[in-house]
Amino acid sequence: MLYRTAGQFKTSYAEDHALFPVRQDAMLLGVILLFAFVILPLTASAFTFQALLIPVLIYALAALGLNILTGYAGQLSLGTGAFMGVGAYACYKLITIFPELNIFLAIALSGFFSAGTGVLFGLPSLRIKGFYLAIATLAAQFFLVWLFQKWGWLYNYSSSGAIQVPNIEMFGVTVTGPRASDLVQYYFVLVVVCLVTWLAINITRGRIGRMWKAVRDMDIAAELVGINLMRAKLTAFFVSSYIVGVSGALFVFMWRGAAEANLFDISLSFRVLFIAIIGGLGSILGNYLGAFLIVALPVVIGAVPAAFGIPISSSTVEHLNVMTIGALIIAFLILEPHGLARLWAIIREKLVLWPFPH
Amino acid sequence: MNLHADPAAFAEPDDGIAKGAVLLEIRNISLAFGGVKALTDISFNVRKGEIRAIIGPNGAGKTSMLNVVNGFYTPQKGSITFRGRERRAMKPHHAVGQGIARTFQNVALFKGMSTLDNIMAGRSVMMKRNILWQMIWHGPALKEEIAHREVVEEIIDFLEIQHIRHTPVGKLPYGLQKRVELGRALAMEPSLLLLDEPMAGMNLEEKEDMSRFILDVNQQRGTTIALIEHDMGVVMDLSDRVVVLDYGKIIADGAPDQVKNDQGVIDAYLGVPH
């Protein structure tokens, strides 16, 4: 009933190509954006910002980047953590070399460093596929983290080997560093994430998105319709790594405040990959659902027993969290390989017909 | 939207070759994989506007022949002249650029994409807006998308697959998948269309539909077609000229009736007592 599409006719192809051809979807998005931009900032506590809202957005962005490469273009990557690191270190170097640089611009530029690195490590994809490519990206993962540790210039030769985010102002408001307020950082991340998501949706629904999906589904046939495989794969690596790099810069500048090399190790790569798989490969929405699940889970597991007055140690929370995530991944791979996004699509299909079964 | 495909909308492919003149000339092609000779000294031609059938028993080298024509295989000897230009080695996307499209024996569609997207993918080469325009979407990129969508919708009308426009092709029955694959090849507006067993695994009704589409493509759009097919009834009815391969060699070439009564062809199909 709520989702009835009857009576919504399209009289031009432009209408059919709209982002939300179904009116209810647009309204739903409106409600979500209202929550994100108005209601949550008014009500959320500092803990909610730090433990839930900001990380959900940043992880979702990282997963979106990975999803473009793995879900759309079908190239498996295990180097996401390291590419996030490239974005973070690039942003750090940019603001130390050019202190006057607008932080928004610095983050946007740092994505290009990550994109370049991604293309470089994506070159093997022209020759190898599937698991073998994953091994090649794994090499990137270990090499880059090693580089973050050994190349002192990257962290300005600080004795701790870590990068510290300074206080940076944008238009008179402190947006990064210890003095920045959660609210400002949240809005900053939200705006960047919304913008990048919109651009990513546009790319994936047009010619380039079709090109990527064609390469994913059957590369021989893709070549046959005149798609240049090399260009398709390398643009996927470029766009994907750019987004991942931006998310890495946000990760350090807007959330962690400081970082050392092993923050970007393989476990971060897996975390982002899990988000993409649980959310749904080949979907944009899924990244948000997956990120919400993975980030919210430990918070919920920690909070629920406490709410019932059951004492629970933080290490037990951690164990429970790891076990639940592991179980979820196995369950999703078996029951719904297309993830939460597909679950939502099925629910939506049922809602359109409800209350009739067919 | 028009329900009946307008024949005037299908302009004849402009390839600078007059109707009836030689469009594709294959001269002395030999192809071997190591010691296995797939094709030996093959020469034949395809004239503009005709339906040319390539037949032969299993393993005769028919598919290898198509693979040579569209650049998947590079022959060791011989030359191919297409639209007056001679070439030896090339890549499949060069063949696309010159106006050769093809379908596969085992359907080679993009399974995760909808029918519409599959056919739109056939127009990838013709779409020029770069990634920056694509990112903004509204404006030139959308305009281009819609212009191509209109052409694709013509093809969808023509093949009568409007109802599966938004269905992922992986979910479609085999006969419809074959039709979508033909649609994708047509979207490339080829001057030469290669069909590798377009009717394999179809029932009679589907075969009749497919035959009608092939004839319509040939007559309304003026597309030259080279097809491989095992159903002799279809081959004899559809094609203007037939070339017969056996063990990588040409054993007959000519009009359907002439080929049908050729003793060498009968022997190849039925076998001869030794």
Side-chain angles (χ1 to χ4, degrees):
Chain A
M1 288 293 243
L2 286 173
Y3 246 104
R4 198 150 57 184
T5 52
Q8 298 185 29
F9 297 114
K10 308 284 173 292
T11 51
S12 72
Y13 292 130
E15 277 176 42
D16 200 32
H17 280 278
L19 192 49
F20 296 105
V22 178
R23 201 183 306 129
Q24 286 89 338
D25 285 338
M27 279 154 63
L28 190 63
L29 180 80
V31 172
I32 291 169
L33 285 180
L34 184 73
F35 258 89
F37 274 95
V38 182
I39 296 177
L40 285 177
L42 286 176
T43 55
S45 64
F47 174 77
T48 320
F49 277 124
Q50 281 300 322
L52 205 59
L53 297 178
I54 296 177
V56 163
L57 289 172
I58 293 173
Y59 275 119
L61 191 64
L64 170 64
L66 176 66
N67 222 322
I68 284 189
L69 187 65
T70 307
Y72 281 90
Q75 311 297 308
L76 192 54
S77 165
L78 294 175
T80 322
F83 294 134
M84 285 174 79
V86 173
Y89 279 93
C91 192
Y92 181 68
K93 285 311 288 186
L94 278 173
I95 57 145
T96 44
I97 296 170
F98 309 104
E100 297 302 309
L101 193 63
N102 184 316
I103 180 70
F104 188 83
L105 205 60
I107 289 176
L109 287 176
S110 57
F112 285 106
F113 290 88
S114 171
T117 320
V119 169
L120 191 67
F121 284 100
L123 285 175
S125 71
L126 308 179
R127 284 272 166 196
I128 52 181
K129 289 184 204 170
F131 291 119
Y132 301 94
L133 178 66
I135 300 296
T137 57
L138 202 58
Q141 169 69 46
F142 287 115
F143 170 73
L144 288 169
V145 170
W146 173 83
L147 196 70
F148 299 153
Q149 272 166 356
K150 298 293 173 194
W151 194 8
W153 180 78
L154 279 179
Y155 46 86
N156 291 350
Y157 305 101
S158 76
S159 53
S160 62
I163 54 175
Q164 286 288 338
V165 176
N167 291 309
I168 300 170
E169 288 191 352
M170 190 169 88
F171 309 125
V173 184
T174 314
V175 288
T176 68
R179 270 198 279 123
S181 84
D182 297 322
L183 192 67
V184 171
Q185 293 198 313
Y186 170 74
Y187 269 119
F188 189 99
V189 173
L190 186 63
V191 168
V192 172
V193 169
C194 287
L195 188 68
V196 175
T197 306
W198 182 66
L199 296 176
I201 290 174
N202 287 345
I203 296 179
T204 51
R205 64 181 164 154
R207 168 178 70 93
I208 294 173
R210 270 195 301 272
M211 213 165 77
W212 288 339
K213 285 189 268 184
V215 172
R216 170 195 71 188
D217 284 350
M218 188 167 277
D219 50 359
I220 297 177
E223 211 178 353
L224 190 96
V225 295
I227 292 168
N228 186 334
L229 291 186
M230 183 181 85
R231 276 208 11 219
K233 284 177 181 176
L234 292 185
T235 45
F237 268 97
F238 187 91
V239 174
S240 158
S241 308
Y242 180 86
I243 297 176
V244 167
V246 167
S247 80
L250 292 176
F251 185 72
V252 172
F253 277 71
M254 295 292 153
W255 186 40
R256 302 302 293 248
E260 50 186 73
N262 58 16
L263 183 65
F264 303 106
D265 67 3
I266 185 100
S267 65
L268 181 63
S269 294
F270 277 127
R271 196 154 219 245
V272 176
L273 184 63
F274 292 161
I275 290 172
I277 290 176
I278 289 181
L281 288 174
S283 126
I284 303 270
L285 170 75
N287 303 305
Y288 291 90
L289 302 176
F292 195 78
L293 189 73
I294 295 277
V295 175
L297 202 61
V299 179
V300 172
I301 291 175
V304 168
F308 285 104
I310 306 163
I312 186 164
S313 71
S314 59
S315 63
T316 319
V317 171
E318 184 57 29
H319 290 311
L320 279 175
N321 184 33
V322 171
M323 282 158 58
T324 322
I325 290 178
L328 273 176
I329 287 166
I330 294 172
F332 267 103
L333 286 178
I334 296 171
L335 300 173
E336 187 49 88
H338 296 285
L340 290 167
R342 174 59 63 86
L343 280 183
W344 165 241
I346 293 171
I347 291 170
R348 209 175 143 269
E349 259 172 49
K350 294 244 190 278
L351 278 178
V352 170
L353 296 175
W354 192 84
F356 306 106
H358 297 293
Chain B
M1 279 179 281
N2 59 342
L3 292 173
H4 302 285
D6 174 15
F10 304 139
E12 283 206 10
D14 176 28
D15 42 28
I17 304 284
K19 201 170 162 77
V22 173
L23 179 69
L24 174 77
E25 176 85 59
I26 289 161
R27 248 183 251 111
N28 309 104
I29 290 284
S30 292
L31 174 75
F33 302 104
V36 183
K37 283 183 184 153
L39 299 171
T40 319
D41 204 25
I42 302 276
S43 302
F44 69 97
N45 61 26
V46 179
R47 295 207 187 104
K48 164 119 176 146
E50 75 174 344
I51 298 182
R52 185 74 146 125
I54 304 172
I55 62 169
N58 287 324
K62 307 181 295 291
T63 301
S64 297
M65 192 60 242
L66 287 200
N67 284 341
V68 167
V69 172
N70 88 327
F72 267 126
Y73 294 158
T74 309
Q76 277 82 13
K77 268 201 308 200
S79 71
I80 294 173
T81 312
F82 182 63
R83 288 166 64 176
R85 260 182 295 161
E86 188 180 313
R87 55 165 167 100
R88 270 207 63 198
M90 68 182 320
K91 287 268 163 219
H93 62 259
H94 295 140
V96 174
Q98 293 187 358
I100 299 178
R102 92 173 261 195
T103 67
F104 277 88
Q105 190 172 349
N106 317 312
V107 183
L109 285 168
F110 310 124
K111 296 253 186 303
M113 293 158 73
S114 68
T115 300
L116 182 64
D117 274 346
N118 264 279
I119 302 178
M120 284 292 279
R123 298 192 70 81
S124 300
V125 201
M126 292 167 230
M127 298 176 76
K128 299 290 178 215
R129 293 291 169 197
N130 65 20
I131 193 159
L132 292 174
W133 286 117
Q134 298 279 335
M135 268 160 56
I136 302 166
W137 182 254
H138 294 280
L142 183 60
K143 226 172 123 186
E144 183 183 47
E145 182 94 3
I146 288 172
H148 287 279
R149 170 89 188 260
E150 276 164 7
V151 181
V152 167
E153 289 290 342
E154 294 278 358
I155 292 167
I156 289 178
D157 281 354
F158 172 71
L159 294 174
E160 296 158 18
I161 46 176
Q162 298 92 336
H163 58 295
I164 53 164
R165 199 183 271 129
H166 293 297
T167 316
V169 293
K171 286 184 182 168
L172 296 175
Y174 186 71
L176 281 177
Q177 291 193 4
K178 282 273 195 192
R179 222 187 277 184
V180 175
E181 205 188 10
L182 177 64
R184 189 183 63 192
L186 288 180
M188 293 154 73
E189 294 178 11
S191 48
L192 176 63
L193 179 61
L194 309 173
L195 302 173
D196 196 345
E197 299 201 22
M199 286 158 223
M202 287 187 170
N203 63 30
L204 184 65
E205 199 186 334
E206 288 171 325
K207 277 184 185 175
E208 283 170 351
D209 280 344
M210 188 53 99
S211 304
R212 182 163 53 83
F213 291 131
I214 292 174
L215 284 173
D216 283 353
V217 168
N218 181 248
Q219 281 160 14
Q220 290 183 13
R221 318 193 102 187
T223 309
T224 311
I225 297 172
L227 66 90
I228 293 176
E229 185 50 56
H230 276 299
D231 186 323
M232 282 311 131
V234 169
V235 170
M236 297 305 162
D237 285 349
L238 283 186
S239 52
D240 299 311
R241 289 193 301 153
V242 183
V243 57
V244 190
L245 297 184
D246 192 22
Y247 295 110
K249 293 191 183 93
I250 289 189
I251 57 172
D253 187 357
D257 284 334
Q258 185 188 338
V259 165
K260 201 157 43 178
N261 300 319
D262 186 288
Q263 192 56 45
V265 177
I266 295 168
D267 289 348
Y269 270 91
L270 299 179
V272 273
H274 290 290

